[in-house]
Amino acid sequence: MTPKVSIIMGSTSDLPVMEKAAEVLNNFCIPFEMNALSAHRTPAEVEDFAKNAAERGIEVIIAGAGMAAHLPGVIAAMTPVPVIGVPIKSSVEGMDALLAIVQMPPGIPVATVAINGAMNAGILAAQILAVGDAELKKKILSYKESLKKKIVDANKELVQVKYTYKTN
């Protein structure tokens, strides 16, 4: 099946974070591909990927990067495909990556999730695809309802907990 989402990471060391996006896409039965490409070490390959992504049927790109974190922005500069950036915590608690990804110049948007927020990147990719896919939209609504149910059920359990407050 032709992938609709491409998960790109700056290094295979980012896999423990980025595989969370893959898990979400698997759960929604969305075909995807996953590759390591570096804006600094493999710039020609990044350019080739970005310029050909739409032609290959890619509809959303999730790009994770740490440190200088130029990968999502470089890809966004060369493709009409929406790019979701995942800042990866590798130095300075991930703030360097977050700022590098979120502070894009006008005309080169990168939707950005939280530091190490690949799960939300997967969900956002699914929501973008669901705009034109009624069946996927139903799956997302069901998923959101399951989140609500978890909280409702947790509150029912909290009612059973008794606390004794001590006064001085």
Side-chain angles (χ1 to χ4, degrees):
M1 187 173 272
T2 304
K4 290 185 175 189
V5 177
S6 189
I7 300 172
I8 305 296
M9 61 199 89
S11 166
T12 55
S13 65
D14 300 334
L15 184 58
V17 171
M18 298 305 289
E19 68 187 353
K20 291 175 179 69
E23 290 170 13
V24 168
L25 297 173
N26 266 334
N27 290 339
F28 284 122
C29 301
I30 298 169
F32 67 93
E33 64 184 17
M34 186 181 287
N35 292 290
L37 293 171
S38 170
H40 302 105
R41 292 171 284 213
T42 60
E45 288 82 354
V46 170
E47 181 177 8
D48 181 62
F49 163 79
K51 287 184 175 179
N52 294 300
E55 183 178 300
R56 291 188 312 104
I58 299 299
E59 297 181 39
V60 181
I61 297 168
I62 299 171
M67 301 175 81
H70 294 116
L71 183 62
V74 168
I75 291 171
M78 294 185 276
T79 186
V81 176
V83 177
I84 303 168
V86 179
I88 298 190
K89 182 179 177 180
S90 55
S91 63
V92 199
E93 297 300 308
M95 288 301 296
D96 51 341
L98 173 65
L99 293 173
I101 295 171
V102 79
Q103 294 291 343
M104 294 302 300
I108 312 296
V110 174
T112 309
V113 295
I115 296 167
N116 288 355
M119 179 181 168
N120 273 352
I123 294 167
L124 181 56
Q127 289 177 295
I128 290 169
L129 293 172
V131 168
D133 184 334
E135 200 58 40
L136 181 56
K137 189 177 289 186
K138 287 179 189 175
K139 289 179 184 178
I140 291 170
L141 289 169
S142 176
Y143 171 75
K144 298 273 184 162
E145 194 61 33
S146 75
L147 295 177
K148 176 182 170 183
K149 184 179 178 337
K150 284 180 187 176
I151 296 298
V152 169
D153 291 348
N155 276 326
K156 288 177 184 173
E157 291 177 25
L158 286 174
V159 171
Q160 306 301 319
V161 178
K162 304 284 186 209
Y163 290 100
T164 306
Y165 297 99
K166 296 180 182 180
T167 57
N168 291 344

